[in-house]
Amino acid sequence: MSKRVFLTLPDGIADDLERWAASEKNKAATLAGFLVEEAVRRAKEQGKIPPDDGSFPHYDTLAELVRHNRNKLAESEKFSSARLKALSSGDKPTEVEILRLALILGRTEEYVLSLKTNPDVSEGSTN
């Protein structure tokens, strides 16, 4: 179900929005909804939107985070099953994997970086 939000825009912005929407054969409300959705998505990706209070369990290690969210990560198709298994076992993630984990799981990059990796796994391992 979608929620309704009512916005008050300055006249000039509202006029520009209406012209933009008309040029794309769209309604201003539809375009405004799309623009807000994109802005919220970007803010979330940048870690500007905090998670819901209590909505995320606490993890001490990255391996716990991956194990607990393995199905969601697999569905994203950004990680192979072999790579998920390695991360679940404590393998150190690459910088790209850290970003992907944060985006897919709705966490900040800082949070993912703060999780401990398995000290028994070689620091040079970056599959």
Side-chain angles (χ1 to χ4, degrees), residues 87-101:
L87 291 170
S88 297
S89 298
D91 199 6
K92 185 177 178 184
T94 65
E95 289 181 35
V96 170
E97 288 172 335
I98 290 168
L99 290 172
R100 286 179 174 165
L101 288 166

Side-chain angles (χ1 to χ4, degrees), residues 45-84:
E45 290 171 355
Q46 295 168 357
K48 294 179 180 179
I49 299 176
D52 292 338
D53 292 339
S55 65
F56 289 125
H58 172 75
Y59 302 103
D60 291 319
T61 67
L62 186 117
E64 289 175 335
L65 174 74
V66 172
R67 279 193 302 270
H68 187 262
N69 294 282
R70 192 171 181 142
N71 289 341
K72 186 172 186 176
L73 294 168
E75 288 173 8
S76 76
E77 299 181 355
K78 298 293 183 184
F79 295 93
S80 69
S81 59
R83 190 62 187 136
L84 285 174

